[in-house]
Amino acid sequence: MTTFTPRPFVPRRTPRSPVRDRPRVDRCSLCSRADLEMAYTIFRRWDPTPAKVITRAAFLEGLKSPPTLESLKVLARSKLEQRFRMSSQPVTLTEFLDLMWPTAKPADREWMQRIIQLTDAKDVLRSRNFRGSRDDLKQLYDILDINGDGKLTPAELHAARILDRADVEKLVQDADSNQDGTVDFKEFMDIFGPAIARDYVSIEMAEMMRAEQTQKDLKDLKEGFAKVKK
């Protein structure tokens, strides 16, 4: 009598969406994304300018403020106090990262710089002056465009974490009008722009923009009446 041996059940793999097929961005070999973002936040407290350098004067001034647990951790790890005792030269962002993670490899450095870029992109969105204008969106788009090819991939958009995953998936489908798997700036501005403005334009800025539009409409109306009278 022939016995029947059932084949083991092998679950079928669900095809992965383009957004899920993304490079891992949560950590490098030395630190997590959260660790790096915290360190970069502390760095910018000592460097309030776009230059991305900490001067000795700014560092000493920053020490006068009550320290947070995070800033104490960064101070202990980076040994900035010892560094400024040895030299009065400003500390660049690159040197700061070297002080924080001296054994970082080139791949780690590349990852860190990329995460810092994405953090800068969030700063654009969180600015009180963010209007969701074409210039604002172009600045954001250029930061998110990792390889500078003028196109955004679903992975680049997801890595930015500026919108929920569900929003990214839906908007990519809506924006990719030519079905090439990427989003150019016009597609980004037309489809992603309204969603970004919805989430990031502050209430105060929205009110200011409405007031400006009202003034513009009134001016156009007056000019229209003046032309009719002539």
Side-chain angles (χ1 to χ4, degrees):
M1 179 178 179
T2 303
T3 59
F4 172 74
T5 303
R7 296 175 61 184
F9 172 73
V10 179
R12 295 181 60 185
R13 292 185 177 181
T14 303
R16 300 172 70 184
S17 71
V19 171
R20 294 189 180 89
D21 292 329
R22 63 187 186 278
R24 183 174 178 80
V25 295
D26 291 335
R27 66 172 302 108
C28 66
S29 67
L30 296 174
C31 66
S32 69
R33 179 169 180 165
D35 292 334
L36 178 61
E37 288 176 340
M38 179 193 73
Y40 185 46
T41 299
I42 302 301
F43 175 89
R44 288 182 300 176
R45 288 180 188 172
W46 290 315
D47 167 43
T49 71
K52 292 188 178 180
V53 295
I54 304 174
T55 64
R56 186 176 184 178
F59 176 72
L60 294 176
E61 184 65 26
L63 291 180
K64 296 178 182 179
S65 302
T68 63
L69 178 60
E70 290 78 10
S71 64
L72 290 174
K73 288 180 179 179
V74 171
L75 272 175
R77 188 180 185 99
S78 65
K79 298 181 173 60
L80 275 176
E81 289 187 87
Q82 295 90 317
R83 158 60 174 79
F84 278 118
R85 289 196 192 105
M86 295 173 58
S87 172
S88 61
Q89 292 298 311
V91 174
T92 64
L93 178 59
T94 299
E95 182 183 359
F96 174 75
L97 295 176
D98 287 338
L99 291 170
M100 288 290 294
W101 295 283
T103 60
K105 299 174 182 178
D108 297 321
R109 291 278 175 251
E110 182 179 352
W111 176 85
M112 290 177 186
Q113 291 296 338
R114 179 57 189 155
I115 296 304
I116 286 171
Q117 274 186 296
L118 296 178
T119 304
D120 289 341
K122 288 186 177 180
D123 285 346
V124 171
L125 295 170
R126 291 168 180 163
S127 169
R128 291 190 303 174
N129 297 322
F130 182 75
R131 290 170 167 258
S133 65
R134 186 186 189 283
D135 290 342
D136 288 339
L137 294 173
K138 186 66 170 69
Q139 182 183 6
L140 178 64
Y141 186 90
D142 290 343
I143 294 174
L144 299 180
D145 185 11
I146 297 175
N147 55 13
D149 64 353
K151 297 179 179 180
L152 292 181
T153 65
E156 288 171 326
L157 289 164
H158 183 79
R161 296 183 181 178
I162 60 176
L163 294 170
D164 292 337
R165 171 180 290 191
D167 285 339
V168 171
E169 291 181 341
K170 182 180 185 305
L171 292 172
V172 165
Q173 292 176 355
D174 294 343
D176 189 13
S177 57
N178 57 5
Q179 301 295 311
D180 66 348
T182 63
V183 177
D184 62 28
F185 177 64
K186 186 179 184 308
E187 293 169 338
F188 179 79
M189 184 172 62
D190 292 345
I191 304 300
F192 279 80
I196 291 172
R198 174 200 67 203
D199 289 354
Y200 292 100
V201 174
S202 67
I203 295 175
E204 294 79 7
M205 179 56 70
E207 291 176 349
M208 184 185 300
M209 291 168 64
R210 281 194 291 270
E212 290 174 353
Q213 186 61 47
T214 299
Q215 291 297 321
K216 182 180 181 302
D217 292 342
L218 288 173
K219 181 181 177 182
D220 292 343
L221 191 60
K222 289 178 181 179
E223 291 176 352
F225 279 129
K227 290 180 180 179
V228 170
K229 288 181 179 180
K230 290 181 181 180

